[in-house]
Amino acid sequence: MKLGNIAIDRIDTGKRYREDYGNLDELAQSIHEKGLICPIAVVQQETSPTTYLLAAGGRRLAAHKLLEINTIPCRIYNKGLSELELRSIELEENIKRKELGPMEEIKLKSMILKLQQEIHGEKASTAPDAPGVSMRDVAELLGIDRSTLSKEISLDKFTEDFPEIPWEKMETKSEAFKMKNKIEESFIRAEMAKRAEMRIGKAGSSVFLKKLINSYIVQDFFKGVIDIPDNSINFVEIDPPYGIDLQTAKKEYSYDQIQYNEVSKELYPTFLENLFKETYRVMATDSWMICWFAPEPWFEAVYQAILSAGFTCSRMCGIWAKPTGQSKSPYTSLTNLYEMFFCAKKGKPVMAKPGQSNIFQYSSIPPNAKTHPTARPIPLIEDILTTFAHENSRVLVPFAGSGNTLLAAAKNKMVPVGFELSKEYKDSYVLNAQEIFPEK
């Protein structure tokens, strides 16, 4: 390898790993002011000693062309390098680039390991002089420790099995690893839930627990509610999609769109209209319904939709007050320490706890203990349920989520039924039900 200046028109770019170089203006300005700090890498062509094939530095070469500079500093490799060796040089250069995203960097490391082992073979022995290339050798080449590279290669392989996950949008490696762990945990929960259901389903097992598990129905609410008779439900707890960007609003909980089903702002008014219409139909005369909602921007829209369905309702909401909260803009807005729900009536029901305050003070579930982004603590839900409903009340939960409302109802001798689209959430529910009611 030697250094030298080469005319740009003698350099063939060939097929590049990365053909989109993005905005070159900043790089071109830096080269114009300071010159090129790191030479590009080229290989002398065997067919023509005066022409060269670009091995690494496509973006720097493009910036020189933008500046209309005729020559560029190069590291010149002797002819005879294989295509694999050329690709390896390019990838090793790219891995040092600051603008690489976290997943792009991991993908490059995986490709470098694969190329190095294709060129030199995979090392089969731990002896220092053994032929071939090992994970440790590539880690040393990249300046990282072996365990880090091994974890990142494992993550890269994992992403190939789940292409539907937007890995490229992950802002950090830590976020990607958390998603990987979460997916793995969901598979473990699914298997554990399957075994639990099989065990509970055997003859002689708890009839109560069977009914409780079956009360969580994996089905769209609007399809399932068709089979619920008119005037048969005594209490309804609605925790609907909020018609907002919940992933941004609840930053402490990592989840993806596959697991949480949101409703767009455009469709939200129609969604509310159909929701409250069906809820009103199945509710018994003199019964209660509560509905959680996002006050910004839906306070008035939700309130008016409740009234339009035939309910009586006040703007005086129930409040879940929390000791700690969150703010997306802590320097420009107050931290939110509460969530709100409307209390609506069909007919003229009376409260099970007359004189109950509209403030319910409970701590949130820790983020790492949540099985659903909007999961609420069971003691809070028990307090709300026993405020409005009595033992043996039939409780409907259109959007079951974590299933905590079904569990809270069962703990207070009520008869729940809930609907949910995502099977993953029922898996967690089954395990929680088995833990809470082991002797039932």
Side-chain angles (χ1 to χ4, degrees):
M1 191 270 290
K2 60 182 179 180
L3 296 175
N5 283 305
I6 295 176
I8 286 177
D9 60 7
R10 292 186 179 181
I11 300 174
D12 177 9
T13 58
K15 185 179 180 181
R16 313 302 301 149
Y17 164 74
R18 196 178 191 185
E19 297 181 358
D20 180 11
Y21 296 126
N23 190 338
L24 295 170
D25 292 342
E26 185 177 342
L27 176 60
Q29 181 66 27
S30 174
I31 291 173
H32 176 71
E33 294 175 356
K34 304 173 184 177
L36 184 62
I37 297 173
C38 182
I40 67 172
V42 298
V43 178
Q44 190 174 25
Q45 298 274 47
E46 290 190 49
T47 55
S48 174
T50 59
T51 60
Y52 302 85
L53 179 64
L54 180 67
R59 195 164 184 267
R60 284 163 280 168
L61 180 62
H64 273 69
K65 290 179 179 179
L66 182 65
L67 292 168
E68 299 182 350
I69 300 175
N70 296 326
T71 63
I72 185 169
C74 299
R75 288 184 288 117
I76 306 168
Y77 289 86
N78 294 330
K79 55 189 176 182
L81 291 179
S82 69
E83 183 178 347
L84 289 177
E85 288 171 322
L86 290 174
R87 292 281 286 163
S88 183
I89 292 172
E90 178 191 0
L91 295 177
E92 288 170 38
E93 281 265 332
N94 278 321
I95 204 71
K96 300 171 185 176
R97 293 170 53 174
K98 293 182 179 179
E99 66 270 19
L100 286 175
M103 297 310 296
E104 190 176 21
E105 178 189 326
I106 288 174
K107 177 67 70 176
L108 272 176
K109 290 175 180 176
S110 184
M111 293 175 69
I112 289 171
L113 174 65
K114 182 178 179 181
L115 278 173
Q116 286 289 320
Q117 291 183 337
E118 285 185 19
I119 295 169
H120 304 288
E122 186 173 352
K123 185 176 286 187
S125 169
T126 57
D129 57 347
V133 172
S134 67
M135 183 87 70
R136 187 179 303 278
D137 295 329
V138 174
E140 290 177 0
L141 175 69
L142 299 174
I144 59 178
D145 62 77
R146 183 194 176 283
S147 62
T148 298
L149 180 61
S150 179
K151 285 175 59 180
E152 293 184 356
I153 297 298
S154 174
L155 175 60
D156 180 59
K157 292 178 180 178
F158 187 86
T159 64
E160 294 175 358
D161 294 330
F162 296 90
E164 70 276 11
I165 303 297
W167 299 102
E168 71 283 356
K169 295 183 180 179
M170 304 290 175
E171 296 182 358
T172 64
K173 294 177 188 178
S174 176
E175 185 180 355
F177 277 114
K178 286 180 181 178
M179 177 60 73
K180 175 178 180 288
N181 292 339
K182 186 177 177 189
I183 293 172
E184 290 174 335
E185 288 169 3
S186 72
F187 276 94
I188 294 171
R189 282 198 302 270
E191 180 60 27
M192 292 174 64
K194 180 181 177 181
R195 294 181 184 183
E197 288 190 75
M198 290 176 61
R199 184 168 57 253
I200 294 167
K202 291 180 180 178
S205 298
S206 166
V207 174
F208 171 85
L209 201 50
K210 288 179 187 176
K211 288 183 178 180
L212 183 57
I213 289 174
N214 291 336
S215 71
Y216 191 117
I217 302 170
V218 180
Q219 185 182 24
D220 180 80
F221 164 72
F222 293 103
K223 294 180 180 179
V225 75
I226 294 172
D227 297 325
I228 297 180
D230 295 358
N231 308 311
S232 62
I233 299 295
N234 305 111
F235 180 82
V236 180
E237 189 235 21
I238 301 178
D239 184 16
Y242 276 14
I244 60 173
D245 183 1
L246 192 66
Q247 188 164 8
T248 299
K250 289 188 173 290
K251 294 183 291 185
E252 84 285 359
Y253 184 88
S254 174
Y255 64 98
D256 57 86
Q257 293 178 346
I258 295 172
Q259 293 177 305
Y260 187 80
N261 301 281
E262 192 52 89
V263 177
S264 69
K265 291 182 179 180
E266 294 74 19
L267 297 177
Y268 205 60
T270 302
F271 166 79
L272 291 175
E273 178 184 351
N274 294 333
L275 171 62
F276 295 134
K277 177 183 176 182
E278 280 302 293
T279 301
Y280 190 89
R281 176 186 67 80
V282 301
M283 287 175 62
T285 303
D286 302 331
S287 57
W288 292 95
M289 180 271 285
I290 72 165
C291 180
W292 301 89
F293 65 99
E296 179 62 43
W298 297 113
F299 187 105
E300 193 63 22
V302 174
Y303 176 70
Q304 293 298 334
I306 290 172
L307 296 182
S308 297
F311 290 99
T312 302
C313 186
S314 166
R315 288 187 178 88
M316 182 68 72
C317 295
I319 304 291
W320 171 24
K322 316 172 196 178
T324 59
Q326 62 181 3
S327 172
K328 291 187 293 183
S329 305
Y331 294 101
T332 58
S333 62
L334 297 174
T335 297
N336 180 34
L337 295 175
Y338 70 96
E339 292 185 32
M340 307 171 69
F341 59 88
F342 282 114
C343 309
K345 296 182 284 188
K346 178 179 180 180
K348 297 181 179 180
V350 295
M351 295 172 63
K353 290 181 184 175
Q356 168 70 44
S357 163
N358 72 326
I359 304 295
F360 298 83
Q361 298 187 21
Y362 291 89
S363 297
S364 302
I365 299 174
N368 60 0
K370 284 187 175 183
T371 58
H372 185 278
T374 64
R376 296 184 176 86
I378 290 178
L380 162 69
I381 304 171
E382 287 189 82
D383 199 356
I384 293 174
L385 284 172
T386 55
T387 293
F388 295 98
H390 301 271
E391 288 185 10
N392 300 315
S393 291
R394 294 178 294 277
V395 176
L396 171 64
V397 189
F399 309 98
S402 66
N404 283 358
T405 299
L406 306 182
L407 298 174
K411 289 182 70 176
N412 289 276
K413 300 181 180 179
M414 301 177 190
V415 184
V417 61
F419 298 90
E420 175 58 51
L421 289 173
S422 299
K423 173 66 166 58
E424 296 93 325
Y425 296 135
K426 182 172 182 178
D427 292 336
S428 298
Y429 167 78
V430 170
L431 299 177
N432 289 339
Q434 184 180 231
E435 182 179 347
I436 293 173
F437 302 104
E439 303 299 328
K440 288 284 186 178

